[in-house]
């Protein structure tokens, strides 16, 4: 029979380990997001099944400032092509079970599921789904969705 004191110590150790792993995963995600990204695709899927290329003939480079957990940080978007503009916004990272990575990013007031995040690629989806198999995904016929794909520069 395990004594209650030993059981309590085991439970506290497991909880501390879980918190440490969770914090490290968020830091790793923020580190991967940080830097310049080229928008390779920016597509709106409408409820009738059609798509609209929102990037068109423009180029977009998004520069995510290095950020610490729990902070709001700057992101600069540079548009070139038929539109020449530089915009500065803010972003935050938060946990979300509807995203396949377990995180979502809020840019100004828009929430995006981080569906893919590697050292060289990132895919964001809006709206953020709730815990579906495969992460944030289309929630059924008639759903409008925006998907943005990035390549790290």
């Amino acid at each position: 029979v395990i004594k209650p004191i030993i059981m309590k110590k085991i439970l506290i150790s497991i909880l501390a380990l879980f918190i440490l792993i969770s914090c490290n995963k968020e830091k790793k995600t923020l580190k991967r997001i940080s830097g310049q990204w080229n928008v390779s695709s920016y597509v709106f899927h409408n409820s009738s099944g059609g798509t609209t290329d929102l990037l068109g003939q423009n180029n977009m480079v998004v520069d995510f400032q290095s950020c610490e957990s729990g902070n709001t940080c700057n992101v600069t978007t540079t548009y070139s092509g038929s539109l020449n503009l530089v915009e500065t916004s803010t972003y935050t990272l938060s946990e979300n079970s509807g995203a396949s990575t377990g995180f979502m990013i809020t840019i100004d007031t828009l929430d995006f599921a981080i569906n893919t995040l590697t050292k060289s690629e990132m895919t964001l989806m809006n709206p953020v789904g709730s815990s579906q198999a495969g992460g944030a995904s289309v929630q059924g016929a008639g759903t409008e969705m925006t998907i943005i794909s990035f390549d790290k520069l």
Side-chain angles (χ1 to χ4, degrees):
V1 176
I2 299 176
K3 295 182 179 183
I5 293 174
I6 294 173
M7 190 66 149
K8 186 176 179 180
K9 287 182 180 181
I10 291 171
L11 185 60
I12 290 172
S13 297
I14 291 171
L15 183 61
L17 183 61
F18 176 75
I19 290 170
L20 180 64
I21 289 171
S22 179
C23 290
N24 285 340
K25 191 173 179 185
E26 184 174 356
K27 285 180 183 181
K28 181 179 177 182
T29 300
L30 283 167
K31 186 175 180 178
R32 280 200 173 161
I33 290 171
S34 178
Q36 290 190 332
W37 295 85
N38 180 60
V39 176
S40 56
S41 174
Y42 191 167
V43 179
F44 174 73
H45 297 262
N46 65 40
S47 58
S48 62
T51 60
T52 303
D53 176 7
L54 299 175
L55 191 57
Q57 298 301 312
N58 293 298
N59 295 313
M60 288 175 65
V61 174
V62 181
D63 188 0
F64 292 94
Q65 173 190 350
S66 182
C67 197
E68 296 293 323
S69 296
N71 289 349
T72 298
C73 300
N74 289 331
V75 56
T76 303
T77 305
T78 304
Y79 304 87
S80 59
S82 61
L83 177 68
N84 290 307
L85 177 68
V86 177
E87 249 180 1
T88 300
S89 307
T90 59
Y91 78 97
T92 57
L93 183 73
S94 56
E95 290 186 37
N96 186 283
S97 62
S100 59
T101 61
F103 291 97
M104 72 176 205
I105 189 168
T106 302
I107 301 174
D108 283 338
T109 59
L110 289 174
D111 294 332
F112 292 92
I114 303 173
N115 245 24
T116 306
L117 181 60
T118 67
K119 291 179 181 178
S120 60
E121 296 178 345
M122 177 168 56
T123 305
L124 304 181
M125 294 178 74
N126 172 282
V128 177
S130 58
S131 304
Q132 299 114 339
S137 60
V138 174
Q139 298 180 20
T143 301
E144 295 184 340
M145 180 174 37
T146 303
I147 301 173
I148 308 172
S149 299
F150 299 84
D151 296 317
K152 189 87 175 224
L153 295 177

